[in-house]
C-alpha cells in the first residue's frame, strides 16, 4: 500500500472502522505496532525494503524514466555500482526456485526501470481493483508453483476521489469537497493553504480511500483461502511511507521524518509458521522485512551477502531481543525519544511531536546525535566505497542538461523562463515544471558558442541532443542553425540527422544526432553553435548516450503520444509534477 499510515488503521487503534478486512487478516497472524519506514518517499524506501539496506545503490527507478524510454543517470551516480554484498529480494527468491511477479499501478514502475527487471514478470493496471484482479488471476494459474508476488497498490495515496465516502460528515457538501480537491490540484501542500473544514475533508477522503483498499486486500486474501494456499503463504501487509494530513503544517509525504509519515503498518500472516493473534510493540523498521522473509522461508542466505535488518519473529516470544533504536530517514527513534537535525521530541509523552525540547535537553540531543552517527557510519562508509565502475552502462541513457558544466558562464543566465531574462541562453532549473533545460532564445540577441562538459565513463558513444521547440517539426539541422564539434580545433559541423521523438499539442521533441565520440579521460565535452535563422526558441533538454561495442537491448521502447499524455496527467494527479 502506498502512503498508508498505521494510525488510520482500525486494527492499530483508530476510532473509525477503516480496515475491517485487514483487521480480520491481522487476527490470523502478528501485528507490529511500532514499525517505521526508513524513508519518507517511495524512491528511497523501496530500495531499502528490497535490499535490506539503509543506503542502497543503485536506485530502482526515477521519475523521468517513463518519459524518454531510457534510463536517466546523474554524474555523481553513473560510476557507482551496488555494493558487492547486497542482494535484491526477488533475485534471491528466484535463485531459490520461486517464480517472481510484480503487480502495480505506480507510474514510476515502468518497463525500463531496474525494479521491473528484478522480476520474472510484471503487470501494470490502471486501477487498484484491476491490480488485485490481475494478481488473483495469475495466482489461480500458478497455484502449483512456488511464487513471490509483490502487489504495489497506489491507494491511499492521492489523488483523492470526488465522492463523499462514509467517513465524511453529511453536513459537508459536494461543492466543499470539489473546492478542497481543486486547491490540492492547484498545488496546496501546506496546512496554511486550507481552512480547518477542508482538512477534515482530506482526512475523510484519505480514510475512504484506505477503506477502498482494505476491501481489495480482503478480496485477495479470501482468494488465497479459497485456493487452499493461505495456510502455507506468508502474507505481508505494509507500506513504503506514511502521509502528512496537516501535521506540522504539511500535507502528503517527503521531507522531515515526522511520525505521521514514517510510522507504517506491518502485518504478517502465515498460519503454518506464525501463531495467530499476536501483537509486537518492539521497534521495527523496513530493512527488517527482507530478513524476516528469509527466516520464515528458511532460506540459505548466499555467502558474502549481507542484510542491514534483522528477522523479527523471535520478538513474538522474546521481546528482550528488541532493538534499542531504529533509524528512519536520517533520524534516530527510541521507544521514548526521537532526534533529527535540530529537533528532539519525547514521542512517548508527546506522540504528535508538538513540543521540540532540544533547547531544554541539549545533552540528550547530543547523545542521540552521536548514537545516530555511530550507528550509520559503517553503512555510510560502505555506500561511499561501493565498487566504482569504469565501464559505460550496457544500455542507452541520458543526462539532463542540468548535469553539465556550461561554459562560458558569462553567456547564459540561470532564471525562470517567465522572468523575461535578457540573454539568448537561459538555463531554467525549475524541476517543478516540464520546461527545465537550456533555452536558446535568439530574440534576445545572437547566441554565442557554448560548451557542455560532464564526467562520463570511458568508452565509445553515439551522442544525441534532445531538443524541444513549438510548432513546426524541423527536417534538418541546417534549418535550425545547429552545429557542433568535440574539440576546439575542428570546424563546426551539422548533425547528420534529426529524428522526431514526439509531437503533442504544439510541443515538438526531436533528437539531433552527433557523430561518434571516444571518451578516454572520463569526461565528455561538446561545443555547440546554435543560431536559429527563424528566431524560434529552442530548448536543449538532455543529452543521450548510446554506448558502442557493448551488448545492447533490442531497441528503446517509447510510449505512444497518447500514453505519454496520460502519464503526464497521472503524475500530476499524484503530486509528482
Amino acid at each position: 500500500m502506498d502512503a498508508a499510515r498505521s494510525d488510520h488503521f482500525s486494527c492499530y487503534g483508530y476510532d473509525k472502522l477503516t480496515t475491517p478486512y485487514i483487521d480480520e487478516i491481522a487476527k490470523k497472524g502478528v501485528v507490529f505496532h511500532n514499525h517505521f519506514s526508513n524513508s519518507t518517499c517511495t524512491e528511497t524506501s523501496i530500495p531499502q525494503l528490497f535490499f535490506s539496506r539503509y543506503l542502497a545503490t543503485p536506485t530502482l527507478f526515477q521519475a523521468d524514466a517513463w518519459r524518454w524510454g531510457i534510463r536517466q543517470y546523474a554524474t555523481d551516480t553513473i560510476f557507482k555500482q551496488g555494493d558487492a554484498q547486497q542482494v535484491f529480494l526477488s533475485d534471491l527468491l528466484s535463485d531459490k526456485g520461486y517464480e517472481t511477479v510484480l503487480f502495480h499501478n505506480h507510474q514510476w514502475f515502468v518497463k525500463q526501470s531496474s525494479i521491473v527487471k528484478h522480476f520474472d514478470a510484471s503487470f501494470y493496471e490502471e486501477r487498484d481493483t484491476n491490480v488485485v484482479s490481475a494478481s488473483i488471476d495469475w495466482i489461480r494459474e500458478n497455484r502449483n508453483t512456488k511464487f513471490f508476488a509483490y502487489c504495489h497498490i497506489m491507494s491511499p495515496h492521492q489523488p483523492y476521489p470526488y465522492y463523499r465516502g462514509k467517513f465524511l460528515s453529511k453536513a459537508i457538501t459536494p461543492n466543499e469537497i470539489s473546492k478542497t480537491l481543486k486547491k490540492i490540484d492547484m498545488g496546496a501542500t501546506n496546512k496554511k493553504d486550507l481552512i480547518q473544514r477542508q482538512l477534515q475533508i482530506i482526512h475523510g477522503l484519505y480514510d475512504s480511500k484506505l477503506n477502498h483498499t482494505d476491501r481489495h486486500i480482503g478480496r485477495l486474501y479470501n482468494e488465497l483461502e479459497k485456493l487452499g494456499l493461505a495456510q502455507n503463504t506468508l502474507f505481508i501487509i505494509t507500506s513504503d511511507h506514511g502521509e502528512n494530513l496537516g501535521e506540522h503544517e504539511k500535507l502528503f509525504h517527503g521531507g522531515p521524518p515526522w511520525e505521521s509519515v514514517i510510522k507504517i503498518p506491518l502485518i504478517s500472516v502465515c498460519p503454518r509458521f506464525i501463531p495467530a493473534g499476536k501483537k509486537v510493540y518492539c521497534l521495527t523498521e523496513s530493512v527488517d522485512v527482507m530478513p524476516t522473509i528469509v527466516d520464515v522461508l528458511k532460506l540459505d542466505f548466499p555467502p558474502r551477502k549481507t542484510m542491514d535488518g534483522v528477522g523479527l519473529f523471535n520478538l513474538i516470544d522474546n521481546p528482550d531481543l528488541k532493538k534499542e533504536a531504529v533509524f528512519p530517514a536520517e533520524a534516530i527513534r527510541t521507544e521514548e525519544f526521537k532526534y533529527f537535525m535540530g529537533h528532539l521530541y519525547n514521542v512517548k509523552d508527546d506522540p504528535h511531536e508538538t513540543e521540540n525540547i532540544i533547547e531544554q535537553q541539549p545533552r540528550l540531543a547530543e547523545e542521540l546525535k552521536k548514537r545516530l552517527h555511530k550507528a550509520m557510519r559503517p553503512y555510510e562508509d560502505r555506500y561511499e566505497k561501493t565498487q566504482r565502475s569504469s565501464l559505460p552502462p550496457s544500455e542507452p541513457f541520458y543526462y539532463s542538461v542540468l548535469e553539465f558544466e556550461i561554459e562560458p558562464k558569462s553567456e547564459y543566465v540561470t532564471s525562470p523562463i517567465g522572468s523575461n531574462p535578457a540573454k539568448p541562453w537561459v538555463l531554467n532549473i525549475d524541476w517543478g515544471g516540464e520546461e527545465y533545460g537550456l533555452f536558446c532564445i535568439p530574440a534576445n540577441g545572437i547566441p554565442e558558442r557554448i560548451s557542455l562538459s560532464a564526467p562520463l565513463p570511458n568508452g565509445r558513444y553515439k551522442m544525441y541532443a534532445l531538443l524541444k521547440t513549438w510548432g513546426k517539426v524541423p527536417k534538418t539541422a541546417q534549418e535550425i542553425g545547429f552545429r557542433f564539434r568535440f574539440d576546439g580545433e575542428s570546424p563546426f559541423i551539422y548533425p547528420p540527422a534529426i529524428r522526431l521523438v514526439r509531437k503533442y499539442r504544439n510541443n515538438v521533441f526531436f533528437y539531433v544526432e552527433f557523430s561518434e565520440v571516444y571518451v578516454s579521460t572520463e569526461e565528455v565535452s561538446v561545443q555547440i553553435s546554435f543560431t536559429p535563422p527563424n528566431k524560434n526558441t529552442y530548448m536543449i533538454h538532455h543529452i543521450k548516450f548510446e554506448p558502442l561495442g557493448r551488448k545492447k537491448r533490442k531497441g528503446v521502447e517509447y510510449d505512444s503520444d497518447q500514453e505519454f499524455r496520460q502519464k503526464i496527467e497521472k503524475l500530476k494527479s499524484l503530486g509528482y509534477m
Side-chain angles (χ1 to χ4, degrees):
M1 301 170 70
D2 202 300
R5 48 187 285 178
S6 59
D7 64 346
H8 276 244
F9 284 58
S10 42
C11 57
Y12 277 81
Y14 194 44
D15 60 1
K16 299 176 183 177
L17 189 58
T18 50
T19 55
Y21 291 99
I22 291 176
D23 296 353
E24 289 303 311
I25 296 170
K27 292 175 183 177
K28 303 174 189 293
V30 57
V31 179
F32 294 88
H33 279 264
N34 283 297
H35 185 67
F36 295 87
S37 174
N38 294 112
S39 178
T40 64
C41 61
T42 306
E43 186 174 8
T44 47
S45 66
I46 295 298
Q48 290 165 332
L49 177 70
F50 276 92
F51 283 115
S52 185
R53 281 289 188 264
Y54 289 110
L55 299 169
T57 55
T59 55
L60 296 177
F61 38 75
Q62 80 290 327
D64 211 25
W66 55 268
R67 193 171 185 181
W68 310 111
I70 53 177
R71 185 170 182 82
Q72 178 182 359
Y73 276 101
T75 55
D76 63 344
T77 61
I78 193 168
F79 292 96
K80 275 190 173 294
Q81 297 185 39
D83 71 81
Q85 295 178 338
Q86 75 180 29
V87 60
F88 195 79
L89 175 58
S90 62
D91 292 337
L92 173 65
L93 292 170
S94 182
D95 288 343
K96 302 301 181 182
Y98 288 79
E99 191 75 14
T100 62
V101 59
L102 165 66
F103 304 94
H104 70 96
N105 56 338
H106 199 303
Q107 294 295 317
W108 283 6
F109 291 41
V110 292
K111 54 196 172 188
Q112 300 90 359
S113 64
S114 294
I115 188 169
V116 169
K117 296 175 184 178
H118 282 288
F119 288 85
D120 296 323
S122 67
F123 300 90
Y124 171 81
E125 300 290 343
E126 186 69 25
R127 300 169 62 86
D128 298 339
T129 305
N130 297 338
V131 172
V132 172
S133 295
S135 304
I136 289 172
D137 291 342
W138 188 92
I139 291 171
R140 285 173 179 166
E141 293 178 7
N142 295 273
R143 69 181 76 178
N144 296 320
T145 303
K146 288 199 308 183
F147 65 83
F148 168 59
Y150 173 44
C151 187
H152 190 110
I153 302 172
M154 280 304 295
S155 293
H157 194 295
Q158 61 160 322
Y160 301 126
Y162 278 81
Y163 63 83
R164 179 184 306 281
K166 61 182 180 181
F167 297 99
L168 282 177
S169 165
K170 292 182 180 180
I172 293 174
T173 67
N175 187 50
E176 286 181 292
I177 298 173
S178 179
K179 285 184 177 180
T180 301
L181 293 177
K182 282 181 180 178
K183 275 200 171 183
I184 293 175
D185 290 342
M186 293 174 65
T189 59
N190 291 284
K191 181 179 178 180
K192 64 182 180 181
D193 297 327
L194 305 170
I195 61 175
Q196 186 60 36
R197 192 171 176 87
Q198 290 173 323
L199 284 174
Q200 294 173 0
I201 291 172
I202 289 176
H203 274 261
L205 295 176
Y206 179 87
D207 289 344
S208 295
K209 203 164 186 186
L210 178 59
N211 181 250
H212 158 85
T213 311
D214 172 73
R215 293 197 300 273
H216 293 300
I217 291 176
R219 185 162 63 94
L220 177 57
Y221 193 78
N222 184 55
E223 187 64 29
L224 290 176
E225 292 185 317
K226 286 182 180 179
L227 295 171
L229 298 177
Q231 189 73 13
N232 294 320
T233 298
L234 176 58
F235 192 81
I236 297 175
I237 300 170
T238 191
S239 184
D240 52 353
H241 52 74
E243 190 81 334
N244 292 312
L245 297 173
E247 295 85 0
H248 306 283
E249 306 296 319
K250 297 295 183 183
L251 296 174
F252 315 131
H253 50 272
W258 306 116
E259 296 285 281
S260 52
V261 81
I262 60 170
K263 199 168 186 180
I264 59 173
L266 178 62
I267 300 167
S268 299
V269 177
C270 186
R272 183 177 175 184
F273 299 106
I274 301 172
K278 294 293 184 177
K279 297 180 180 180
V280 172
Y281 292 91
C282 305
L283 297 171
T284 62
E285 52 192 330
S286 292
V287 294
D288 297 330
V289 173
M290 180 177 173
T292 301
I293 293 172
V294 170
D295 285 352
V296 173
L297 300 182
K298 295 180 170 55
L299 299 179
D300 292 327
F301 200 70
R304 295 183 295 279
K305 300 293 182 181
T306 62
M307 296 178 285
D308 293 348
V310 297
L312 298 178
F313 286 110
N314 287 332
L315 295 175
I316 295 175
D317 298 317
N318 298 287
D320 290 341
L321 298 175
K322 66 183 180 180
K323 293 182 172 184
E324 295 299 324
V326 292
F327 303 96
E330 299 182 0
I332 179 171
R333 209 282 195 184
T334 68
E335 291 181 346
E336 189 172 0
F337 295 100
K338 179 163 69 177
Y339 167 83
F340 60 96
M341 184 64 71
H343 294 263
L344 176 65
Y345 296 94
N346 184 330
V347 288
K348 184 177 181 180
D349 296 335
D350 179 23
H352 300 294
E353 301 164 300
T354 59
E355 183 182 1
N356 184 0
I357 60 173
I358 196 166
E359 291 186 0
Q360 293 94 310
Q361 299 202 46
R363 287 187 178 181
L364 175 60
E366 187 62 27
E367 175 191 333
L368 290 171
K369 180 180 179 180
K370 288 179 179 178
R371 285 180 63 185
L372 171 62
H373 289 169
K374 182 179 179 180
M376 289 293 104
R377 175 53 61 190
Y379 307 118
E380 292 168 353
D381 289 345
R382 182 184 60 198
Y383 180 81
E384 292 300 325
K385 294 175 182 177
T386 50
Q387 184 179 355
R388 189 177 190 277
S389 173
S390 58
L391 294 174
S394 59
E395 300 174 341
F397 62 94
Y398 75 88
Y399 284 164
S400 159
V401 72
L402 306 186
E403 294 288 330
F404 288 83
E405 184 76 19
I406 305 172
E407 297 288 349
K409 289 182 171 54
S410 59
E411 295 304 326
Y412 73 94
V413 61
T414 301
S415 174
I417 289 302
S419 61
N420 298 318
K423 291 193 175 183
W425 286 109
V426 179
L427 183 65
N428 179 30
I429 59 173
D430 179 14
W431 285 89
E434 296 181 38
E435 308 303 337
Y436 71 85
L438 182 61
F439 282 75
C440 180
I441 310 175
N444 288 348
I446 299 174
E448 296 293 332
R449 298 169 179 174
I450 60 167
S451 67
L452 303 179
S453 303
L456 191 70
N458 290 338
R460 287 192 308 120
Y461 301 87
K462 177 69 72 68
M463 284 176 54
Y464 307 80
L466 183 76
L467 271 62
K468 178 181 180 179
T469 191
W470 293 261
K472 182 182 175 183
V473 180
K475 296 180 179 179
T476 66
Q478 290 91 329
E479 182 182 330
I480 62 174
F482 187 98
R483 297 181 299 159
F484 75 96
R485 66 185 181 188
F486 288 120
D487 60 70
E489 304 299 327
S490 303
F492 282 92
I493 60 174
Y494 289 104
I498 281 181
R499 179 169 62 82
L500 178 67
V501 175
R502 63 167 50 97
K503 185 177 189 298
Y504 74 101
R505 298 192 182 97
N506 199 41
N507 302 272
V508 177
F509 292 92
F510 60 94
Y511 275 124
V512 293
E513 179 183 325
F514 298 139
S515 57
E516 292 184 15
V517 60
Y518 179 72
V519 176
S520 60
T521 60
E522 294 191 343
E523 182 176 84
V524 67
S525 182
V526 60
Q527 295 181 8
I528 294 173
S529 172
F530 201 178
T531 54
N534 53 14
K535 301 297 183 183
N536 283 357
T537 294
Y538 293 86
M539 178 188 74
I540 302 175
H541 182 273
H542 70 246
I543 303 296
K544 171 186 169 182
F545 299 92
E546 184 179 300
L548 302 175
R550 299 202 72 191
K551 184 178 179 181
K552 297 179 288 186
R553 65 183 182 189
K554 295 181 179 179
V556 177
E557 304 169 80
Y558 292 98
D559 294 318
S560 68
D561 287 349
Q562 181 179 3
E563 289 175 320
F564 174 63
R565 290 193 293 271
Q566 289 173 344
K567 286 183 176 180
I568 286 179
E569 295 306 315
K570 185 72 171 179
L571 283 171
K572 284 181 177 177
S573 72
L574 294 170
Y576 292 131
M577 295 183 68

